[in-house]
Amino acid sequence: MTKPGFAILAPPSDGKLIEQILCDYNHPCALIEPDELVGLVRRGEIGVLVVAEVMLERFDHVALRHAIEEQPTWSDLPILLLVERCDVPRYAPLLDKLGQVRIVERPIEASIVERSALTALRSRDKQRGSQILLKQLGEAQESYRQLSETLEHRIAERTRQLEAAYDRLVREGEERFAAEERLRESEELYRCTIELSEQLAWTADPNGTILSIGPRFAVLTGLGGDLLAHDRWMQAMHPDDVEPVMAHWRSRLASGEASSIEFRMRVADGSYRMFRARAAPRRDESGRIIRWYGTTEDIEEQTRADEERRAAEERYRLAAHAANDAIWELDLSCNQVHRAPSVDGFLGHPQVEATLPLSWWEEQLHPDDRKRVASGLAAAIEGRASHWSDSYRIRRADGDYADVQDQGFIVRDKDGRPLRAVGAMTDITERRRAEAALSKLQADLIHVSRLSAMGAMASTLAHEINQPLTAITNYVRGSRRMVDTLQGGSLPELSQALEAAETAALRAGQIVRRLRELVARGNVTMRTEDLPRLIDEASVLGFVDSQLLGISHQVRTDPAARWVYADRIQVQQVLINLIRNSVQAMMGEPRREIRISTSLSSGDMVEVSVADTGVGLSRDIREALFSPFQSTKAEGMGIGLSISRTIVEAHGGRIWAEDRDGGGAIFRFTLPLAEEGRERESEAAQMSADPL
C-alpha cells in the first residue's frame, strides 16, 4: 500500500465483497495476508484494519498487540471486526487487548460497512490532527528552547559583566546548578537501578492508591494499557490471594508499619509464580506519611528451593529415625558437639537439641573404652582420614552403659585442615545381647549334642558288648564243666582260673547293664514350651548358611498346636539335625526348599514335620535310617538320627520318615501336647471375649 488506507484481512469471499464496497465509495483498500499484518502496523501503513472473525486465529496476537502499543502516542489503529452477533461475547477478551475495535455484524451490508468505514476514517483523521498538533507543539518547544538558550546566553553574558557586583548570586547559582546536577544524576541512577533490577518498583499515596509501577511489571505480566486505571494491575494477582493481600495492605496503612507479604501472580505465559511484596512509608518532619515506596520480587525459585530443602531435611530426619540413628556434628574450631534430639532418645536424656563440649562426650565413655576411642578419633582428625568409625560403650542417664556403633565423616578445607565432623550413632545394645544369647544357645546345643552322642554311643556299645560278654560267660562255664569231667578235678589251678574268668565276665555284664539303664533313663528336663518360638530359635542355627546355598524355607504353625511338654534344648537338637540333613540332601538339586509345619495329632500329641525337595530316601535306607552307625553320607558317623530317635522316644513320642509327593523326603516326629498350654489358650480366649 502506497499510503495509509483500508487493509482487509478476510477469506477470499468476504475480502472481495468488502473490497468492492470500499472501492465503490472511493476508499483506497487492499487485501493482505496474516503474516503481513504486524509489519504493516509497525510501519504505519494501515489507516483502518478490517478483519473477519475467521482470521483472528491466523496471526500472532501478542506481536500485534506489541506493534499497536509501539505506535506513536497520537496513533490508535481503528479495527473493524466482521462477526456474527452471537459470537461477540466469545471474542470479547481478545477485543479488549487489541484496543479500538468496532463490531460490524454479519450479514455484510454495504451501507453498514460504509458507515463504519466513515466513522473509523473520522477517528483516524482526528488522530492525524493530533499528530499535527503534536508536531506544532514540538516546533513550539524547540523554538522555546532556542529562545531559552539565547536568553541564558544573554544572562550569562550580563552576569560576566556584573560578576564583581553579583559574585554572591553567581555562587548561589553555581550551588543551585550543582544541586540540580546531583539530583539529575540521582534520578538517572534511580532510573537505571530500577530498570536493571529484578525487582518491580512501585509507589503509592498515603491512602494506598498506586501512583506508579515500574515498566517491567507490564513485560512480566503481559498486561497492557494503563495499569493504574481502576487497579488493573490487580488482574495479574491470583483470585484467591486478592482479599488476603488487600486486608494485609489495609492493616499496614492503618498502623503505618512496614509491609511484607507473599502471594501468587500470573506472568505472561499464563502460569502463576510466587512473589514477595515489601513496602515502607516515607514521612515528613512531623511524622506524617507522604508516600509509600515498595518493591515486588519473584521468589518462585527460592520458594521451591526452600520446599525441596525442607523435604530433604524431613526425608533425612525420617530416614535417621527409621534407622534408629542418632545424628551429631562436631565443630572442630571450638570442639563443640551439636546433638540432635535423637541422640538422647536411647541415652535417656530429655530429647532437646544441645551443644556441649567434646569433653562431655569423652566423660560419658566407659572407662575401659575411653582412651582407645578418644585417641582413635583424635588420630583420624589430625591425620588425613576422611572417615572414622568405632564401637564402644557410653553411659545412659540411668547410669547403665549402652553399646553403640559410631561413625562419621571429617570435612576438610582445600588445604586439608579439618573443619567439622558429622556422624551417626547406632544403638546396638540389643544386637549384642541377641548375639550373646545366640552364642549361649549354640553352646548349649553343642553341649547337648555331645552328651547325646556320648549317650547314644554308650548305649550302642553297651548293647553290642553285652552279647559277647554273655557268650564269654557261657563258654567259661562250659569249659569248667569240661575240665572237671576230663581231669577228675586234678587241675585245681585251671578250674580256679576259669571260675575267676566267669566271675569277671558276669561283673562286666552287670556294669554294661547298669550303663544301659543310665542311658535309657537319660536327663530330660520337661516343661511347657512355646513350639513356634522353639522352632524359630532352632532355625537360626539350622539355616545359618541357607542364603549362600540358595535355600528357601518357610514355617507354618497350627495355633492349636502351640504348646508342648518338652525339653527345649534337646528338641531343638532334633530339629537342627533334621534341618541340616535336609540341607545336605538338596545339594546339587535345582529346587531347594524346606518347609517346617506343625499340627495336632491323635492322642493329645503334636506332630512336627520337616519336608525337603532333596534326593529322597530309598527303601533299604529308610528301614535302617534310625539305627546307630547307619549313614547315607560318606563323612557321617550315623548317630544323628539315632540320637534324635532317643530324644523323641524319651519325650514319649515317635519319629519316622516318608517320601514327599513331587520328590524329596519328610521327617516327622511327635511331642506331647501341654495341658498348661491349652489352659493358657482358653484363658486368653475368655479374656478377649470378656474385656472386663
Side-chain angles (χ1 to χ4, degrees), residues 11 65 70 126 129 136 169 196 248 260 276 284 344 358 365 406 505 540 551 637:
R65 188 166 65 251
E70 292 170 358
K126 291 179 180 180
Q136 293 174 351
L169 295 177
L196 296 176
H248 171 82
S260 177
R276 178 189 292 119
D284 58 14
D344 299 323
L358 181 61
L365 299 179
D406 203 349
V540 173
I551 296 174
M637 295 181 62

Side-chain angles (χ1 to χ4, degrees), residues 338-504:
H338 175 74
R339 302 179 305 162
S342 56
V343 175
D344 299 323
F346 61 77
L347 295 183
H349 300 291
Q351 296 196 41
V352 296
E353 293 190 1
T355 301
L356 296 169
L358 181 61
S359 58
W360 175 90
W361 169 74
E362 295 177 352
E363 291 172 358
Q364 308 308 309
L365 299 179
H366 193 280
D368 296 341
D369 299 340
R370 185 173 300 150
K371 182 177 180 181
R372 171 181 59 84
V373 177
S375 60
L377 176 60
I381 293 173
E382 294 171 1
R384 305 292 295 180
S386 61
H387 180 267
W388 167 81
S389 65
D390 206 343
S391 58
Y392 54 85
R393 291 162 291 179
I394 188 169
R395 186 165 54 237
R396 300 178 186 269
D398 57 8
D400 291 337
Y401 285 89
D403 290 299
V404 298
Q405 177 68 39
D406 203 349
Q407 58 181 351
F409 291 93
I410 302 172
V411 181
R412 303 177 183 273
D413 61 14
K414 61 180 180 179
D415 298 325
R417 290 189 294 269
L419 301 177
R420 67 181 188 277
V422 181
M425 182 190 303
T426 304
D427 186 1
I428 60 173
T429 305
E430 295 302 325
R431 186 197 309 172
R432 290 286 173 84
R433 291 176 180 172
E435 290 173 352
L438 181 60
S439 298
K440 184 178 182 303
L441 175 62
Q442 189 172 13
D444 291 343
L445 289 173
I446 292 174
H447 179 67
V448 171
S449 177
R450 289 175 178 172
L451 291 178
S452 300
M454 292 173 61
M457 183 174 293
S459 177
T460 303
L461 290 174
H463 176 74
E464 298 296 331
I465 293 174
N466 186 58
Q467 292 180 357
L469 286 175
T470 302
I472 291 172
T473 302
N474 292 333
Y475 279 122
V476 171
R477 287 177 180 175
S479 298
R480 286 181 60 194
R481 287 194 295 269
M482 292 176 63
V483 169
D484 291 342
T485 302
L486 293 175
Q487 301 298 331
S490 60
L491 297 174
E493 294 84 358
L494 180 58
S495 296
Q496 291 175 0
L498 291 175
E499 183 179 359
E502 181 182 359
T503 301

Side-chain angles (χ1 to χ4, degrees), residues 205-220:
D205 65 12
N207 297 323
T209 302
I210 303 299
L211 300 177
S212 65
I213 300 179
R216 286 196 65 253
F217 187 88
V219 177
L220 181 65

